[in-house]
Amino acid sequence: MTEDVESFRLRARAWIRANLRPLEPHEILAPTLALPVQTEEEEHAALARERELQRMIFDAGLAGIGFPREYGGQGLTTDHQRAFNAEIVGYEYPARLQAPSFSPCGAVLLDFGTEEQKRRHIPAILKGEEIWMQLLSEPSGGSDVAAALTSAVRDGDDWILNGSKVWTTGASTADWGLCLARTNWDVPKHRGLTVFILPIHQPGIEVHRIEMLNGSTEFCQEFLTDVRVPDSDRIGDVDGGWTVGTRWMFHERMLFNSPFVSIPVGTSPGEVGADSIVNVARDTGRFDDRCVRDLLGEAHMLELVGQTLRRRIGRGVAAGRISEQSAAITRLFAGVSSARKATIAFEIAGPAGAAWTADDGAAANCGDDFLMRQTSCIGGGTTEMARNVISERVLGMPRERTPDRDRPFRDVPRSASNRA
């Protein structure tokens, strides 16, 4: 018998209040677009605490709310997940374990993994024992992930992977990765791809941190040299990776409305929240400025529209009323609105946006957020790609002209040597 939503809510509330630390006001009201700058020691300590929290949540029967029971989840509904998201507001929770471990990686395993893969990995993810990341973008391809050059060559019961991936969030601290690789060069680019899973810490994989403009080193580049992957760690069909990849990107675009992740209501990790912008106005003494109030109204409008849009698209896709490709609408709006909110906060911060101290309260870091604002339009697939998906696959407009669409990928010009 399935636990009803209200009983679940009360059980979750009681456990959260008895076991989790309430956040300090500055931890709740100062979400930032810029990734946190931490030493490696601080990063590992924070991650160890999140693994501990996730295990506590698992042992309490509250982890993996939308995952099936046979894989360690609770087998409950999206409404149960929403109830948990409401109750966790104001308390610590394992934020960085939600994405990409639970979704899109865990969700892709659920959609395309073999029974053995699901039973091996999903319970470990839900217990916080395995942290996953996405080996997707490449130095040469930008957002055109279908142009992947990382190769996978069959060798008996194994595959040998060579290539490089980049802009991978948290690769230096992850345990496993979901990797898109090229297995066939003699067919058009979308038809020669295959997805694999592989442990990150093994011979042949080098992980290099990338230092961002604000000093953060959470993004990484990985170099794969003769990495051996058993065929049993392949996800989906050989050369059928684009089918997996399309669903993979759907889960990524629907992250903030996913039934598989826990995100406190009213927050969007990686975005400057409207409430935090109000605090910027108060801490800089500009709350009564009429122009500032107009900007605050705009920020709240953007946040309200974003939340409503995610709910509407999520329900429409779940009910089958609209295409999964409609998730690109939420991705586009999230990128544009996040960049705009970071700009609004910077404008209100005034001089504190250029140079700040801890005494500047919520105005501190507005300058960092302003410098990093375009990441919201690039990460997880660019807003330009989202516009293409919306025009071609949601609105049915003519497809963009691509001369390599039916051309074997081996023959597609990519460099001077390739053209020769």
Side-chain angles (χ1 to χ4, degrees):
M1 182 176 177
T2 301
E3 182 178 17
D4 66 75
V5 174
E6 198 52 32
S7 296
F8 174 81
R9 179 194 300 279
L10 295 175
R11 179 165 68 88
R13 179 183 300 171
W15 185 85
I16 289 169
R17 292 181 179 179
N19 293 279
L20 300 184
R21 177 179 67 84
L23 297 176
E24 299 295 328
H26 73 275
E27 295 177 286
I28 301 173
L29 298 175
T32 178
L33 181 64
L35 295 171
V37 179
Q38 295 178 309
T39 64
E40 284 195 37
E41 290 75 16
E42 290 171 337
E43 186 179 17
H44 284 290
L47 202 57
R49 175 57 179 164
E50 294 204 14
R51 286 184 193 263
E52 180 183 11
L53 287 171
Q54 186 60 40
R55 182 63 198 226
M56 290 165 60
I57 293 172
F58 180 87
D59 290 343
L62 296 168
I65 293 167
F67 284 88
R69 286 183 176 276
E70 58 265 37
Y71 307 126
Q74 306 305 312
L76 298 174
T77 68
T78 301
D79 287 339
H80 290 81
Q81 182 65 66
R82 290 198 185 101
F84 185 85
N85 292 350
E87 296 301 330
I88 200 73
V89 173
Y91 291 86
E92 62 174 343
Y93 80 110
R96 75 183 78 191
L97 267 61
Q98 307 302 310
S101 294
F102 281 54
S103 186
C105 293
V108 167
L109 279 173
L110 200 57
D111 286 342
F112 295 97
T114 65
E115 189 64 19
E116 182 182 349
Q117 290 167 346
K118 293 176 188 175
R119 291 188 182 278
R120 178 184 179 189
H121 293 292
I122 293 179
I125 290 173
L126 299 184
K127 293 175 184 174
E129 296 171 352
E130 291 184 5
I131 295 176
W132 285 56
M133 51 88 168
Q134 309 175 78
L135 293 163
L136 198 59
S137 297
E138 297 196 1
S140 61
S143 285
D144 186 8
V145 294
L149 297 180
T150 294
S151 65
V153 178
R154 189 72 183 253
D155 181 29
D157 292 334
D158 294 341
W159 294 84
I160 309 296
L161 273 61
N162 282 282
S164 180
K165 299 288 183 177
V166 73
W167 301 123
T168 311
T169 305
S172 59
T173 53
D175 305 302
W176 286 80
L178 199 62
C179 181
L180 183 72
R182 183 158 303 282
T183 46
N184 191 337
W185 297 75
D186 296 317
V187 294
K189 64 181 181 181
H190 292 85
R191 300 179 200 163
L193 300 165
T194 305
V195 175
F196 300 90
I197 57 178
L198 65 162
I200 303 305
H201 304 293
Q202 63 165 302
I205 298 183
E206 290 182 38
V207 178
H208 294 188
R209 290 176 179 262
I210 300 172
E211 185 171 359
M212 301 292 287
L213 191 62
N214 68 334
S216 168
T217 57
E218 188 169 353
F219 289 117
C220 301
Q221 180 171 5
E222 303 78 38
F223 297 91
L224 285 69
T225 305
D226 295 332
V227 176
R228 189 169 286 272
V229 178
D231 189 57
S232 58
D233 282 347
R234 169 170 49 83
I235 301 285
D237 297 332
V238 174
D239 296 345
W242 193 244
T243 300
V244 179
T246 302
R247 185 71 177 169
W248 178 348
M249 286 178 269
F250 163 75
H251 285 300
E252 186 175 51
R253 290 165 184 154
M254 294 299 290
L255 182 64
F256 295 144
N257 200 40
S258 170
F260 301 119
V261 302
S262 296
I263 297 177
V265 169
T267 65
S268 296
E271 287 191 21
V272 177
D275 287 342
S276 70
I277 301 176
V278 170
N279 290 330
V280 173
R282 285 188 174 135
D283 290 353
T284 54
R286 303 188 65 193
F287 190 71
D288 294 326
D289 185 315
R290 292 180 59 183
C291 294
V292 167
R293 287 190 166 233
D294 284 346
L295 292 172
L296 295 177
E298 181 185 351
H300 274 286
M301 179 274 293
L302 290 170
E303 196 152 291
L304 180 63
V305 170
Q307 292 169 359
T308 304
L309 195 59
R310 286 197 294 270
R311 283 198 298 272
R312 182 169 182 177
I313 297 290
R315 287 171 178 165
V317 170
R321 292 195 303 272
I322 57 177
S323 161
E324 289 186 355
Q325 300 295 337
S326 301
I329 299 172
T330 62
R331 191 277 168 270
L332 172 60
F333 188 84
V336 173
S337 67
S338 179
R340 176 59 186 151
K341 285 189 288 184
T343 302
I344 289 173
F346 179 74
E347 291 177 3
I348 295 173
W356 62 89
T357 69
D359 294 336
D360 289 318
N365 297 318
C366 286
D368 259 359
D369 289 336
F370 181 72
L371 291 174
M372 301 293 290
R373 68 194 184 285
Q374 285 302 320
T375 59
S376 65
C377 296
I378 298 172
T382 66
T383 48
E384 284 77 11
M385 298 293 282
R387 286 186 170 92
N388 272 1
V389 172
I390 293 167
S391 65
E392 296 175 2
R393 303 187 185 182
V394 178
L395 300 177
M397 297 174 72
R399 294 180 73 92
E400 182 182 24
R401 184 176 178 276
T402 51
D404 61 346
R405 182 176 302 282
D406 299 317
R407 195 172 185 178
F409 190 66
R410 185 185 300 281
D411 298 332
V412 175
R414 294 182 298 278
S415 64
S417 59
N418 175 260
R419 282 194 293 272

